[in-house]
Each structure stands twice: as C-alpha cells, then as structure tokens.
Amino acid sequence: MPKFAANLSMLFTEVDFLDRFEAAAKAGFKGVEYLFPYDFEAGEIKQRLDDNGLTQVLFNLPAGDWGAGERGIACHPDRVEEFRAGVDRAIEYAKVLGNTQVNCLAGIQPEGVSDDEARKTLVDNLRFAAEKLEAAGILLIAEPINTRDIPGFFLNRTEQALAIFDEVGSQNLKLQYDIYHMQIMEGDLAPTIEKHFGRIAHVQLADNPGRHEPGTGEINYPFLFDHLDRLGYDGWIGCEYKPAGSTQEGLGWLDGVR
C-alpha cells in the first residue's frame, strides 16, 4: 500500500503554515513535504515534526525569487554561485529536519540563453549538487514539469530528464516523477513508470484537469496505486494537489488506499 505525504504548500492552507503539521497528522498523514522551509528556523519546523510524529519527506533547493515568478535557477548561467550557495543552505536544513532527499527545480529557460547553454548549466549544477549532497548523505532528485502551467520550464519530459541525468553521471541523482505533470506532457503513465522504475525515487500526484485531488479528473489512480505496488515501490507519494474545496472535505479518496 502506498505511503502518502501531505504537501503542506497546497494542503491545509486553511491554517498558517506551521499549524499545517498538526492538521496533517490529525488527518492521518505520517509524512509531509512542501516547497521550501527557508522562511522559518529549521529548529522550529523540527519541533512541529516531532510534536506530531511526522517524517520530513522532501523540500526543494532554493529556487530564486518565487514571488516574482522564478521557478528555479539551475539552468541559469548567471546564477551559478547563487545555486551553489543554495545547496549548502538546503543541506543545513535537511540535517536538522532529517529528510534524506531534496528536489532541484531546473527553472524557466532565460531569454537569450540557448538550449545548449541552459542544458550545460543544468548538467554542471546537478553534478555539483549531487556530489555535495552525497557527501552529506542526502539524495538529489529532479522533476520534469509541464510547460502549460509553467511556460518555458526547461526540464519537461521523462526521457529528456534521464538523458541529462546520464550526462551528469552521478548515482546520487534520481527522478521525481510527478504523475500530474507527466500526464499533461506525455501520458502513457504506467508503461513509463515501469520502464524507468529503477530511477524513480519519489512520486507526486494530482488529477488532471484542474490539479485537484484524485477522482476529480481523468487519471485512473486506483490502477496506478496498484501498479506501483506490483512494481514494489516503497517510497512516498507526495499529495501535491489543490483541493477542489476544503482540504478535509477532499480527503475521501484516501479511504481504502492507506
């Protein structure tokens, strides 16, 4: 049976961020993830995790100015030093919070930067991050994201991501497979997951269209959950969706699958 982690950047937004840990635990979640921890002291978040018996599953490397629309800087040639400093900051938080993997957002390809230059920058940054994180006992993951929600996002398909990972050449770099994003970009979900199963370290979900909870759209989640079980997936599945109503009202899909 899959293990589900509540994404606190999208779920339980009816309460303040630090109160979402308790809300997630009361709803039956054993793990949590979110976009970023950096607006809070690591010790403050760790206390919320401990108080509620939660596992810290995942957060992202610093990704530039999120409020201004930036969605990662790993493919930005002029932001390499900022990226590297962000790796160090993420390691500091991960060591306190106890999570053993962090995600890298490749970012939107900058205007005037060629595909080749963006790719080379991303490869170099992933190689740096993978090595630095491996020394700290932390796995680096990266995810393709659909270009409808984030136009111009550089890493946007499974095969593209894995080809870049091959170029990076690190065993400490795995794929974060977001079912919602990949349904939009390429479909063929079950065969793709099976083909690349050995390289997938984390899974996220939302239904399509709308990015709401499973059961609101076209994706056959009961089949995919069984498929992941058949393949032997023992990692977490991050619930990174926007509830169609309140978070609690939308949790009925979990009945019978955890």
Side-chain angles (χ1 to χ4, degrees), residues 35-212:
L35 288 174
F36 311 107
Y38 310 112
D39 287 341
F40 302 89
E41 294 293 331
E44 191 173 19
I45 297 175
K46 182 65 164 63
Q47 189 64 56
R48 302 295 176 122
L49 292 165
D50 291 346
D51 288 348
N52 293 288
L54 293 167
T55 297
Q56 175 65 55
V57 174
L58 180 72
F59 59 79
N60 296 317
L61 295 175
D65 190 341
W66 196 264
E70 292 185 334
R71 294 296 181 264
I73 57 172
C75 72
H76 292 219
D78 61 340
R79 308 280 286 278
V80 171
E81 291 306 313
E82 181 182 350
F83 177 86
R84 293 188 173 193
V87 173
D88 289 335
R89 193 176 186 199
I91 290 172
E92 292 173 2
Y93 272 81
K95 285 183 173 180
V96 174
L97 299 179
N99 62 302
T100 57
Q101 59 185 9
V102 297
N103 183 49
C104 175
L105 294 170
I108 298 168
Q109 185 170 344
E111 187 175 351
V113 173
S114 69
D115 291 350
D116 287 346
E117 188 176 10
R119 182 187 177 102
K120 181 182 184 305
T121 302
L122 178 59
V123 167
D124 289 346
N125 278 333
L126 289 173
R127 187 177 292 129
F128 171 87
E131 181 178 347
K132 199 78 179 283
L133 288 163
E134 185 173 23
I138 301 164
L139 177 67
L140 176 64
I141 60 178
E143 66 173 320
I145 291 178
N146 83 77
T147 54
R148 184 170 71 198
D149 288 354
I150 307 181
F153 197 84
F154 185 74
L155 200 66
N156 52 64
R157 291 181 179 274
T158 303
E159 296 285 355
Q160 174 209 16
L162 294 177
I164 286 173
F165 293 1
D166 288 342
E167 192 172 343
V168 171
S170 172
Q171 295 300 308
N172 196 49
L173 175 59
K174 300 289 186 180
L175 184 69
Q176 176 173 302
Y177 189 86
D178 189 304
I179 293 169
Y180 164 75
H181 289 306
M182 291 303 92
Q183 170 67 1
I184 292 172
M185 294 303 296
E186 58 193 30
D188 210 27
L189 300 169
T192 302
I193 291 170
E194 184 166 3
K195 179 180 179 181
H196 301 298
F197 181 70
R199 304 185 74 175
I200 295 172
H202 189 62
V203 175
Q204 290 181 323
L205 63 75
D207 218 330
N208 182 61
R211 202 174 187 177
H212 300 313

